[in-house]
Amino acid sequence: MTVLETSSAVAVKDAVTSLVDMTSDAHSDVKPGMITDVKNLYQSKPDNRGKTTWVDKYPDDLEEAAENAESARYALLIRNSKCYDGRKKLQIDSIVVQSPLLKQALGSVLKDYPGITTTLDRLTFKAPFQPFIHRWKNLLEALECEQDQETKDHLALFHRVLEAELRDDLKARDDFILNGVITYSTIWMIFEPGTTAFTVKERQNCAAQFNSGNYQQTQCGNRYVLNCQIVDWDGENFGLGGAQFYVWEFEGTTKITKLSAYPLEYHPNLVKVKEELIQRGKAFEELSGYHYKNYQGIAIGEGPWGPIKYNVDSRIIIDTYAWNRFNPNKQVNLAALTRAIKKGRAVDSEGYSEDEYGDEDDYQSYDEDEDYESDEDVATGEKSNVTSLTKDQLLLCSASLKGYSLKNKKWLTFSIGSVLDIEYSESAFESLVLPEDHKELILALVESQVAHRDSFDDVIQGKGKGMIMLLSGPPGVGKTLTAESVAETMRTPLYMMSAGDLGLDSSQVESSLSNVLEMASKWNAVLLLDEADVFLEQRSSHDLERNKLVSIFLRILEYYEGILFLTTNRVDNIDAAFQSRIHISMQYGELSTSSRRHVWVNFLNASSKGKKHNFSDKDLDKLAGFKMNGREIKNVLKTAQLLASKKGNGLGYEHVESVLAIEQRHVGDQAQLNGA
């Protein structure tokens, strides 16, 4: 510090001290907090224990600020710090760009690079200068193509400074890429924001747009976190959803393609993988909205401690709109697709036609005032106003869909690759053992209800729009099969539930039943409440808890807008209030001989898988003579089939006869025991 600077600092210090003394004397009698001025305090030097305090004495060891009017005239300010890697004494900590010409030139070099705004008055870049490692070629091109000499001089200066600082990193990056390897500490070099990242998740190839990355320490070890975006569906619109991939720390170098996630451009089968991803993106686009499908594979559910895998072999309903409705804490929230997906480093697009997938310039963004599909459109899978996705967006589509498993009765996330079309049973309704006029009546009522459910309303709006059918009779005579065959014929979902699915607590029953009825109504599903005795049975004065259940059931049914089948074995005990709510009641009697013969033929045809069975008319007449219900006939045939398989023979009458002999002997023993 010069003598002049020292004198100036002493003068400032004396002036501050004098001003403090004068102020203290002038305001000695003022009440606390009433002086209209500020009081400056200064941090003291650390004591032996490293602690500091605040004092009113002006520090005597302050140096002049490095950035001032003099430094503001330079194009660049370079802040240097000590280097301890043994290769150089100093390293650049950060660079402040002050040249307006250089800022303008860097605007094109770093265009769309996240987190950087080159028009700022104070533009600062910090080591390790990741944007310039990623955009080094862009910087060289800008320097070569610049026409204005003064701007070119500023660019050349910036390039010279950075090249000296990044020479080793650039050389290492090129060497790694040439050999197809990378180290853990330099993973960030191959992930430029905007790059398409590739990974395998739940045995499915996935692509995502890389936005940013960071190194993270966890209890399980260190990892590099890739923050990405994928194209997803929120039930109404396509949008961008978040996705995270991880690369766990490793020693030395490893092949780039061995990483758990790496840029798609390094994939050895790039063209094939891109084609597969785009085709799956098309399937994702087609499956947006509402769809009734079959599913065979692993699905992901939510447990109290994280995701849970389920092995699902069931018919499912794909419906993200309903997912958001019934899972408000797990709603799918997406950022709007306001423009086409931006590309980072070029990915080979050879073999793909822009005409087939659409050009990015033709992409139309969503308008918030645009009318999207109504609830009815969502329920029928129609997406009249949803914009088609571009090729690059199809590439980034999610590999999974939200929906509901009818068998597991759970909301799950399904893999697109395991979604299958349903193979409907064309003969389901024909195999139903009922008089033809009864079958025709049931089917006509159900079809009319689906087509015209809004054509009739109660005095109170929304009340009494549903269709409720009561099927009563002994076990195994076709009550459940009636609802199943109607749903199969109409190709609509069948939602089967029992009292156990709803619970026994009145508040739980009300919530569960309301949700089930709303879902069934929305999906135009056939709802079957099997063995509904607990809800239908007549109320009594001594069982108040069950009375609550019946009352809740009665009240909610009034506002159900769908189709409901109720089955019971005890029709005589039904509460009187239910009689007025049931639109049609059908009593099933014991199977007649001809009906039993029909059931035997149906099951034999089903077990022979299209081939003609080996049972003669005489055999069938004998079997029809046994007084059995449909469920018992099915069980006997299944047991006989297992017996025939064990002996290595085709199913024959002798196998059924052996099983029936055992069954009859068991029945006779039971009768003797009961008589004793």
Side-chain angles (χ1 to χ4, degrees), residues 62 341 359 471 484 504 522 524 603:
L62 292 181
I341 299 295
D359 189 82
L471 310 179
E484 293 172 337
L504 294 176
K522 172 179 170 53
N524 282 331
F603 281 124

Side-chain angles (χ1 to χ4, degrees), residues 134-147:
H134 294 146
R135 299 283 180 93
W136 189 251
K137 289 183 179 179
N138 300 55
L139 180 61
L140 295 178
E141 291 173 0
L143 178 60
E144 183 178 349
C145 299
E146 182 58 51
Q147 300 297 320

Side-chain angles (χ1 to χ4, degrees), residues 51-118:
K51 292 184 177 182
T52 61
T53 186
W54 296 98
V55 298
D56 59 2
K57 181 181 178 183
Y58 188 86
D60 55 7
D61 57 349
L62 292 181
E63 297 183 6
E64 290 294 320
E67 295 186 32
N68 48 36
E70 169 66 19
S71 63
R73 297 185 299 169
Y74 291 87
L76 299 175
L77 290 181
I78 299 178
R79 297 166 173 166
N80 297 282
S81 61
K82 291 182 179 180
C83 181
Y84 300 98
D85 63 2
R87 293 184 293 178
K88 48 189 176 181
K89 293 181 179 179
L90 294 174
Q91 64 183 3
I92 298 179
D93 175 79
S94 57
I95 299 176
V96 181
V97 178
Q98 300 185 135
S99 164
L101 301 177
L102 186 54
K103 290 178 184 179
Q104 185 176 359
L106 291 178
S108 61
V109 173
L110 300 174
K111 183 180 180 181
D112 294 323
Y113 199 98
I116 293 179
T117 305
T118 57

Side-chain angles (χ1 to χ4, degrees), residues 407-423:
K407 184 177 180 180
N408 301 77
K409 293 185 175 58
K410 293 182 182 296
W411 289 99
L412 302 171
T413 301
F414 302 104
S415 299
I416 294 177
S418 299
V419 177
L420 308 170
D421 289 331
I422 296 175
E423 296 181 4

Side-chain angles (χ1 to χ4, degrees), residues 31 69 125 128 161 176 189 208 281 286 307 311 320 323 368 400 405 438 445 489 506 513 550 570 574 587 624 645:
K31 294 181 179 180
F125 297 100
V161 170
F176 288 143
M189 290 185 177
E286 291 172 359
N311 199 345
T320 307
W323 167 284
E368 291 182 0
S400 59
S405 171
H438 287 193
L445 288 173
T489 301
S506 56
L513 186 59
V550 176
R570 299 184 292 177
I574 292 180
Q587 175 70 34
S645 300

Side-chain angles (χ1 to χ4, degrees), residues 9-61:
V10 171
V12 170
K13 176 183 176 183
D14 292 342
V16 170
T17 303
S18 176
L19 181 62
V20 168
D21 294 340
M22 291 171 62
T23 303
S24 300
D25 294 339
H27 301 293
S28 58
D29 58 344
V30 178
K31 294 181 179 180
M34 296 305 295
I35 299 177
T36 311
D37 205 345
V38 296
K39 174 71 173 178
N40 289 303
L41 301 178
Y42 309 95
Q43 191 175 29
S44 67
K45 294 181 180 180
D47 58 18
N48 295 334
R49 294 175 295 177
K51 292 184 177 182
T52 61
T53 186
W54 296 98
V55 298
D56 59 2
K57 181 181 178 183
Y58 188 86
D60 55 7
D61 57 349

